[in-house]
Amino acid sequence: MPTKLAKQKIAQTFGKASSSYDNSARLQRYSGQALLSFLPLDSDYSIADLGCGTGFFTNIMSRKYQKVIGLDISSQMLSFAKENRNSSIDWIEGDIHALPFEDNSLDVVFSNLAIQWCNPLTDVLKEIKRVLKPGGTLVFTSLLDGTLFELKNSWQQVDNDQHVIDFKTFDEIKNDAIDSGLMIADLKQSSVVLEYHSVRHLAGELKGLGANHVSGKTKKGLAGKTSWQKMTAAYEQFKGEQGSYPATYQLLSAVLIKE
Ligand SMILES: C[S@@+](CC[C@H](N)C(=O)[O-])C[C@H]1O[C@@H](n2cnc3c(N)ncnc32)[C@H](O)[C@@H]1O
């Protein structure tokens, strides 16, 4: 499990991004929309959105379901959500690793691009299984190994520091899901490539999302000017014919059932 300090850092970095998040969340909007289509239809259901961020999808679900909870580790994200979203939603500051919910209390758990910040995944899935009712459904998306490979590769040509977080492989996540005791109803990988007009645009989007905290990074703060220039020069190898800079995201979407 990430240390308390690491979790505070994650919460702080996302918190700082709470007002810029919605303008930077192209990938999150895409994956969340796709995830909504997996939700069961019964409007009486109780549903929790784990790592809800600014509550964009929590809000959409509150139009459909009677009891909707948005949970996040960042108090600033939740303040933004409270101010901007449907007042019927319960907002809870909490940690996905130790959910503040009773056993067998939720029909559905939804989580869009938050679980990649949690470790070990099997424990997190077991914790979600604990709070789901028998027959309950977990739908989530996460990121897989290969995500941001262009950025990772470009930094590798500059230094040995860690600039991009490590993502699990599809098989690792599949094994974690099996170990959790949840039944796999659907597990898919898809590749999404977003285009940026510059490498600075990509870095700005990651910062705008608050997704720029890397726990294994040894040098703190921004990269020095020379390192940055070397990295952006290395990124030129990926530049497309139209002059844009691609960044690849390997998306995982999962539907797991508590039998
Ligand atoms: C990339 S954002 C996704 C937000 C939202 N689900 C969406 O679709 O826009 C990830 C969110 O997960 C939250 N998060 C990260 N680790 C968490 C944890 N251990 N417990 C609860 N929330 C966490 C962050 O604070 C952040 O708001």
Side-chain angles (χ1 to χ4, degrees):
M1 194 190 297
T3 61
K4 201 172 166 199
L5 187 66
K7 284 195 238 175
Q8 276 169 358
K9 283 266 169 222
I10 293 171
Q12 266 169 19
T13 317
F14 275 109
K16 275 192 206 148
S18 57
S19 54
S20 54
Y21 182 88
D22 281 344
N23 286 331
S24 300
R26 286 191 287 167
L27 179 74
Q28 288 70 12
R29 293 292 188 263
Y30 171 83
S31 62
Q33 284 295 347
L35 200 54
L36 288 176
S37 66
F38 290 109
L39 288 177
L41 289 173
D42 196 329
S43 59
D44 288 340
Y45 279 170
S46 53
I47 179 160
D49 180 2
L50 305 185
C52 61
T54 60
F56 180 84
F57 289 106
T58 334
N59 201 49
I60 293 177
M61 292 186 286
S62 74
R63 296 188 204 124
K64 194 158 135 190
Y65 294 98
Q66 216 163 53
K67 184 170 167 44
V68 179
I69 301 165
L71 175 138
D72 204 280
I73 202 165
S74 159
S75 57
Q76 277 171 279
M77 281 290 192
L78 290 171
S79 300
F80 181 96
K82 268 181 212 159
E83 274 172 37
N84 292 282
R85 310 300 183 201
N86 193 333
S87 59
S88 67
I89 300 166
D90 282 335
W91 301 106
I92 299 180
E93 188 176 334
D95 182 355
I96 298 174
H97 295 92
L99 294 170
F101 306 131
E102 304 274 311
D103 294 0
N104 307 312
S105 58
L106 294 168
D107 295 292
V108 184
V109 167
F110 173 100
S111 185
N112 182 38
L113 292 184
I115 277 179
Q116 68 274 13
W117 298 99
C118 302
N119 227 335
L121 181 63
T122 313
D123 292 355
V124 166
L125 294 178
K126 281 183 183 164
E127 178 62 354
I128 295 172
K129 183 177 172 220
R130 177 186 71 74
V131 302
L132 278 174
K133 292 178 187 171
T137 307
L138 162 65
V139 295
F140 76 94
T141 54
S142 190
L143 292 170
L144 295 171
D145 188 39
T147 292
L148 295 174
F149 80 86
E150 300 90 346
L151 186 62
K152 209 169 181 173
N153 176 292
S154 301
W155 272 120
Q156 277 164 354
Q157 295 180 45
V158 179
D159 60 31
N160 294 323
D161 209 350
Q162 186 172 8
H163 296 272
V164 178
I165 70 169
D166 285 328
F167 299 101
K168 292 190 166 213
T169 63
F170 181 87
D171 286 343
E172 281 169 341
I173 295 208
K174 187 174 176 185
N175 288 335
D176 288 342
I178 292 168
D179 291 347
S180 74
L182 288 163
M183 188 201 65
I184 300 175
D186 198 37
L187 200 61
K188 268 202 236 50
Q189 174 167 5
S190 58
S191 181
V192 178
V193 180
L194 296 186
E195 300 290 339
Y196 297 83
H197 50 71
S198 64
V199 181
R200 196 163 286 286
H201 179 203
L202 165 64
E205 189 167 284
L206 294 175
K207 193 168 178 221
L209 287 169
N212 52 333
H213 174 71
V214 180
S215 59
K217 194 168 193 287
T218 50
K219 285 191 205 127
K220 300 296 167 206
L222 293 171
K225 200 172 163 191
T226 315
S227 301
W228 173 265
Q229 281 169 346
K230 278 191 198 159
M231 186 280 280
T232 52
Y235 212 114
E236 288 296 314
Q237 69 185 300
F238 299 109
K239 191 172 176 177
E241 281 173 16
Q242 309 298 326
S244 63
Y245 294 80
T248 302
Y249 298 86
Q250 295 296 342
L251 266 182
L252 174 98
S253 67
V255 182
L256 308 182
I257 311 277
K258 175 169 171 177
E259 289 178 289

